[in-house]
Amino acid sequence: MRDDGDEIVGGIVAYTAWNWCFIELLWVDEALRGSGSGRELVARVEAVAASRGARYVYVDTFSFQGDGFYQKLGYDVYGKLDDFPPGFHRIWLKKELS
């Protein structure tokens, strides 16, 4: 994702295998967080994944990063490691594509 000055302000790395898509990395410039940019990037990945035959998307994140964000987009928690890192959780989420 680029701004009007062609500077990179966000991006997403994902891949599909079998009928699943894995979101490996999502980044949005701090100034754009809360603007819908992250939601737009995830929607793009979901659309590309569906066009490749994927039926599901999964992601892992940390409790201090994006678990609430993904849950707002319809992702469900299916795994969690407590105290990873200490005081936080590592969380795995998935979503079935329509």
Side-chain angles (χ1 to χ4, degrees):
M1 181 173 278
R2 295 179 181 269
D3 65 11
D4 294 335
D6 206 33
E7 295 294 319
I8 296 172
V9 293
I12 193 164
V13 177
Y15 63 85
T16 54
W18 300 291
N19 62 340
W20 285 85
C21 173
F22 175 61
I23 297 175
E24 187 171 8
L25 176 73
L26 170 65
W27 172 78
V28 175
D29 187 271
E30 193 171 335
L32 290 177
R33 293 180 190 162
S35 71
S37 297
R39 177 183 297 268
E40 179 184 336
L41 289 168
V42 172
R44 287 185 196 178
V45 160
E46 291 174 355
V48 169
S51 76
R52 294 180 179 178
R55 294 183 45 218
Y56 310 94
V57 181
Y58 71 107
V59 62
D60 71 286
T61 188
F62 296 94
S63 57
F64 58 84
Q65 286 181 321
D67 63 321
F69 167 77
Y70 289 104
Q71 289 174 356
K72 288 177 188 174
L73 299 180
Y75 286 73
D76 296 314
V77 173
Y78 70 90
K80 182 173 88 167
L81 288 175
D82 295 326
D83 226 23
F84 187 99
F88 299 96
H89 312 285
R90 187 163 188 175
I91 303 163
W92 285 265
L93 303 101
K94 67 179 178 175
K95 178 180 181 179
E96 185 171 353
L97 299 175
S98 302

